Amino acid sequence: FEERVREIGTLMEKYAFLKGAIINEVGMLNCAGPTADDPICVPDSGMFPAKDAPDFSCPSNEDLPDGLATFISEIVELAASITTSDGRPVVKSFSWFNIDRQGGTYNLRLFNDDGSINKVGDAYMRSCEKWGEMLL
């Protein structure tokens, strides 16, 4: 992800008419792959299957101490922090997939069934707010 966003920054520097990247439907796959040799994502085939979590979310682990909430905080922070060499933000828009287990993903919803904001939604709002403050 970071490498791709930095490549966009390089293009922005080369072509002044490029204003930045719009990144849509960000999420996390719930599978061991996909890889070049096995491009099909088989849900629940990875080290941290959604079926083992009560909310079907990515569970807490060594790399993601708060599970999917850690992932969303870190990826939004990364997207917000990448700039061109002259300081222009590369990512202009970032949206989360926000669907429950579709396309091989974990439960990516930001709200609980009762409409209350869940842990992932809270992390997303805090991250977006922090990004907005960086732009002021």
Side-chain angles (χ1 to χ4, degrees):
F1 176 78
E2 181 178 2
E3 182 180 333
R4 298 287 183 179
V5 174
R6 291 196 184 285
E7 288 172 358
I8 295 164
T10 300
L11 288 172
M12 288 172 63
E13 292 170 350
K14 185 175 181 180
Y15 302 104
F17 62 87
L18 293 177
K19 302 301 181 192
I22 297 171
I23 301 175
N24 293 322
E25 297 189 353
V26 177
M28 182 188 286
L29 292 175
N30 169 33
C31 58
T35 65
D37 295 332
D38 188 13
I40 305 301
C41 175
V42 177
D44 292 321
S45 64
M47 291 174 46
F48 306 105
K51 66 181 172 74
D52 292 345
D55 61 354
F56 303 104
S57 178
C58 176
S60 299
N61 59 67
E62 186 176 308
D63 293 326
L64 301 170
D66 207 12
L68 199 53
T70 302
F71 174 78
I72 200 167
S73 296
E74 290 179 358
I75 200 162
V76 170
E77 182 178 332
L78 178 63
S81 70
I82 298 174
T83 60
T84 59
S85 61
D86 61 0
R88 291 176 291 147
V90 173
V91 178
K92 303 299 181 182
S93 175
F94 182 101
S95 64
W96 186 248
F97 190 52
N98 195 33
I99 301 288
D100 183 7
R101 295 172 287 158
Q102 294 296 308
T105 67
Y106 286 97
N107 174 5
L108 304 177
R109 294 182 304 168
L110 304 175
F111 299 90
N112 296 313
D113 289 338
D114 66 3
S116 61
I117 299 166
N118 64 27
K119 179 172 61 171
V120 176
D122 184 60
Y124 187 59
M125 288 190 314
R126 282 185 284 111
S127 298
C128 291
E129 183 177 16
K130 184 177 174 184
W131 187 353
E133 290 168 356
M134 289 172 50
L135 297 174
L136 296 177

